[in-house]
Amino acid sequence: GDIRDHELVETLLRERDISTLVHFAAESHVDRSITGPDVFIDTNVLGTNALLKAARAVWLDSGSGREHRFHHISTDEVYGSLGMDDPAFTETSPFQPNSPYAASKAASDHLVRAYHHTFGLQTTTTNCSNNYGPYHYPEKLIPLFILNALAGKPLPIYGDGLNVRDWLHVEDHCRGIELTLSRGKAGETYNIGGGAELPNMAVIDHICREVDLVFSEM
């Protein structure tokens, strides 16, 4: 199905007796958001709103009064970019999105907050740093650069390559989400980071060294 399909989501929540919804689905590629922002607004903003409407209809408007949780997965890119000497983002950092992707996620974060404060929906949000790990979609930096290096293709560097990002393994991210669901307070936002802040060029240089090392040992 499609997260924008409000009726389908509402039907699934009712028929499957679902009380916890974890919203992972999003368009998330910065470069693609620059060349075609419409789909990011469509999925990340309108899709999130459709899920929130369905959750409200089933968990609140029907009057069941049951315990529930709507958990929203977001990104630290809503806070903007870090300089080399800047401190890490916190949950109180101001929103300063710098791409259509980040702006669409910031908008969805605000929607989740509004549904909690306006309607009483029991929500939590986590803003995570760059994920990496098995089965990473190949448009993302680490798998893209590995595949391009192996194939002898150019390595497309965004800007000057000095944007600093924190890298988080996907399994650590999932543990953080599980902890938020079990111990997080409704209405709160939690940042999940990996404690590995690096400029993109440092990550790229490391990938190139590792690829060179593999071929030098063959």
Side-chain angles (χ1 to χ4, degrees):
D2 191 313
I3 62 169
R4 296 168 300 176
D5 188 341
H6 166 265
E7 292 183 359
L8 172 62
V9 177
E10 184 174 335
T11 298
L12 289 171
L13 290 175
R14 290 187 191 280
E15 292 184 351
R16 304 295 179 90
D17 195 29
I18 293 168
S19 61
T20 300
L21 190 158
V22 183
H23 175 24
F24 282 96
E27 297 286 346
S28 63
H29 192 236
V30 172
D31 289 0
R32 232 175 355 93
S33 79
I34 295 169
T35 58
D38 288 3
V39 68
F40 287 75
I41 304 303
D42 204 25
T43 299
N44 298 351
V45 181
L46 299 182
T48 299
N49 189 55
L51 292 179
L52 288 163
K53 286 197 302 180
R56 177 192 173 195
V58 175
W59 295 337
L60 298 179
D61 294 350
S62 63
S64 67
R66 70 176 302 177
E67 287 294 317
H68 63 268
R69 177 65 63 87
F70 184 107
H71 182 69
H72 175 56
I73 310 294
S74 191
T75 170
D76 65 352
E77 292 207 26
V78 300
Y79 303 126
S81 300
L82 284 175
M84 287 294 294
D85 300 318
D86 291 340
F89 297 125
T90 71
E91 287 82 356
T92 59
S93 295
F95 277 23
Q96 296 180 317
N98 292 325
S99 67
Y101 159 61
S104 70
K105 291 299 290 184
S108 65
D109 289 12
H110 288 315
L111 277 172
V112 173
R113 175 183 170 86
Y115 266 75
H116 171 71
H117 287 281
T118 302
F119 304 115
L121 195 68
Q122 300 300 290
T123 67
T124 45
T125 296
T126 47
N127 295 85
C128 70
S129 54
N130 269 11
N131 278 215
Y132 70 97
Y135 309 109
H136 205 175
Y137 195 66
E139 71 180 2
K140 301 296 187 175
L141 189 148
I142 289 178
L144 175 65
F145 276 63
I146 291 173
L147 292 172
N148 280 19
L150 291 173
K153 295 181 179 179
L155 306 181
I157 298 171
Y158 177 69
D160 59 11
L162 297 180
N163 286 350
V164 176
R165 297 303 309 278
D166 180 40
W167 292 90
L168 172 68
H169 194 278
V170 63
E171 292 181 4
D172 293 326
H173 184 196
C174 290
R175 279 190 281 269
I177 294 167
E178 184 178 35
L179 187 63
T180 302
L181 289 172
S182 63
R183 297 178 59 183
K185 180 181 177 182
E188 291 295 324
T189 295
Y190 301 94
N191 286 353
I192 302 176
E197 292 181 2
L198 295 167
N200 284 344
M201 281 303 300
V203 178
I204 294 164
D205 287 344
H206 186 74
I207 291 171
C208 291
R209 283 196 302 272
E210 290 298 316
V211 172
D212 287 342
L213 182 62
V214 170
F215 280 100
S216 67
E217 294 176 346
M218 292 180 66

